[in-house]
Amino acid sequence: MKDFLTMVKKLYHRNYEDSMEAIKEQQIPCAYFYPMEPFASGNIDAVREWGMNVTTICTWDKNVGEINYPACRVVGLKEFLSDPREVKIMLLHPQMWLPVLDKVLAPLGVDSINLGHLQDAINIRDFIFDNLPRLYETYACLGQEESKKSYLAAIAGNVSWQIRDYHFAPEPQYMLESFIPQEDDIAIDGGAYDGGTARLFASLGAKVYAFEMDRRNYEVCQAKAEQYGFVVENMGLSNVEADAHYNSGGTASCKLDHGAEKAHFISVDAYVERANLPRVDYIKLDVEGAEREVLEGAAASILKWKPKMAISAYHRPYDLWDLREYVSALCPSYRFEFRHYPIDVTDYWLSEQDKALLREYGLGYKIPTSCETVLYCCS
């Protein structure tokens, strides 16, 4: 209880709105990091219109001279790191992988904040405060101290929008000891994307049934399935069986009523019966916000076999408590752990040019973000 209350107290002083207001009122010298080319002055003008004391524009080290913006010092990242001058805050353009820069900024005493829509930040903060009792109930259900630490950090980071408030796990995603599929286990992989996770589970000796609704992703996944010996279905998982629309977006493909693409969806329980599976030992879900409805469609299997589960818990603000509440109500014997992972972009997402820059600055390919929190369940 003490640690939870300490976190709540912190939220009152380290939330996005108050942080930005303090930066403005105190006229703290800021830099604005803009990663794209060509430079768009409208972005920095908008930040300055907030009243921020932006003294520096920072970019990657190439073509810096092409930016004609006399109101600010314009430097490449190398020059900034060697001479940050009076800058205390780096405002990061809203590009998802930029928070990795915190690794090189922190030793200089430069904080970083991910720029976002102020009203969105206020809404998330208020939503968190309105649901503190439910957050505490889930916090109290977590077993390991590492889980409690990660959970409190996830709440704090979601309110502050500062990457260093999060706490990231060292092990690969879904590989928490005692919560991984074993040899001869029957594993369901919901949201298989390119088959990377299904391949990993298959390498452990599990019999894997992977589901990927996006046709483009499925074709990539199918090649891995043939090579590494797992089953992949070009279907999505849901709580009912039906055709439905989705939006195709690579790793972020999601079920969407007005999406341009259409796929077939099936429940875990219906698939188990149709495929004549003898049991389900493990379920992993990363289905872009549909985790709750997939759990509903797996209720009979969960009650009957009590599989280990690893459930993505970040797509909707209430996933931080709602998913745990549903599993607990369905099967009270489940115990829970919680972890937060950086995104490993070794094989996807960034361009080769971006990766070269990450290598140049020794930043690696594991990107810290607010995403990739996982609720682990085991009975």
Side-chain angles (χ1 to χ4, degrees), residues 50-351:
W50 293 358
M52 300 296 180
N53 179 25
V54 181
T55 64
T56 302
I57 296 173
C58 187
T59 73
W60 293 118
D61 286 327
K62 53 187 179 176
N63 300 327
V64 172
E66 295 182 6
I67 299 176
N68 182 17
Y69 201 84
C72 292
R73 172 194 180 210
V74 180
V75 295
L77 183 59
K78 279 184 178 178
E79 184 180 348
F80 180 83
L81 294 177
S82 65
D83 181 20
R85 298 192 184 178
E86 77 281 13
V87 169
K88 296 300 180 185
I89 304 288
M90 178 74 84
L91 303 173
L92 298 177
H93 183 80
Q95 187 166 347
M96 192 172 182
W97 60 273
L98 282 181
V100 72
L101 290 176
D102 191 66
K103 291 182 180 179
V104 295
L105 296 173
L108 301 175
V110 177
D111 208 348
S112 63
I113 296 181
N114 305 326
L115 288 173
H117 193 279
L118 181 58
Q119 190 58 52
D120 288 344
I122 292 171
N123 291 343
I124 291 172
R125 178 200 64 194
D126 292 347
F127 190 64
I128 290 292
F129 282 139
D130 288 344
N131 288 279
L132 286 175
R134 299 177 77 177
L135 285 162
Y136 177 73
E137 288 175 4
T138 292
Y139 168 78
C141 288
L142 300 175
Q144 301 170 4
E145 286 304 312
E146 187 71 6
S147 293
K148 293 178 182 292
K149 184 176 182 180
S150 296
Y151 190 74
L152 294 182
I155 299 170
N158 286 352
V159 172
S160 71
W161 291 35
Q162 298 192 43
I163 207 68
R164 66 185 60 176
D165 285 343
Y166 293 110
H167 179 70
F168 296 96
E171 74 272 358
Q173 191 166 352
Y174 306 119
M175 289 290 104
L176 182 62
E177 187 177 358
S178 301
F179 290 86
I180 58 178
Q182 306 296 312
E183 188 171 3
D184 296 325
D185 276 358
I186 294 177
I188 302 292
D189 183 353
Y193 180 50
D194 65 354
T197 304
R199 172 189 172 183
L200 180 59
F201 294 158
S203 73
L204 299 174
K207 177 65 173 177
V208 181
Y209 295 84
F211 296 81
E212 176 53 53
M213 67 178 178
D214 189 304
R215 183 69 190 181
R216 297 179 185 89
N217 294 343
Y218 166 76
E219 290 172 355
V220 176
C221 189
Q222 188 177 38
K224 282 193 175 73
E226 293 171 357
Q227 183 177 359
Y228 297 105
F230 60 88
V231 176
V232 59
E233 304 281 6
N234 188 198
M235 294 187 287
L237 292 175
S238 186
N239 52 0
V240 295
E241 183 168 8
D243 290 341
H245 290 272
Y246 71 91
N247 184 50
S248 181
T251 59
S253 295
C254 60
K255 190 177 181 182
L256 193 66
D257 289 343
H258 302 294
E261 309 288 341
K262 184 179 267 190
H264 190 68
F265 289 77
I266 193 170
S267 71
V268 169
D269 291 338
Y271 185 84
V272 166
E273 182 178 1
R274 192 161 306 163
N276 199 27
L277 300 185
R279 64 188 185 280
V280 175
D281 302 297
Y282 180 90
I283 297 174
K284 166 256 169 178
L285 299 178
D286 187 355
V287 287
E288 302 303 314
E291 285 79 11
R292 170 64 183 268
E293 68 182 60
V294 176
L295 288 172
E296 292 170 354
S301 298
I302 293 170
L303 281 169
K304 186 173 183 179
W305 293 298
K306 297 180 177 59
K308 297 175 185 175
M309 295 190 287
I311 309 168
S312 291
Y314 65 92
H315 294 109
R316 308 169 305 172
Y318 46 90
D319 282 344
L320 279 172
W321 62 85
D322 180 70
L323 299 174
R324 195 282 310 166
E325 288 179 350
Y326 178 78
V327 175
S328 289
L330 184 65
C331 188
S333 65
Y334 268 98
R335 57 187 177 88
F336 303 92
E337 303 296 347
F338 185 90
R339 291 294 189 275
H340 191 178
Y341 296 96
I343 299 176
D344 189 337
V345 296
T346 302
D347 298 323
Y348 73 100
W349 193 18
L350 296 184
S351 69

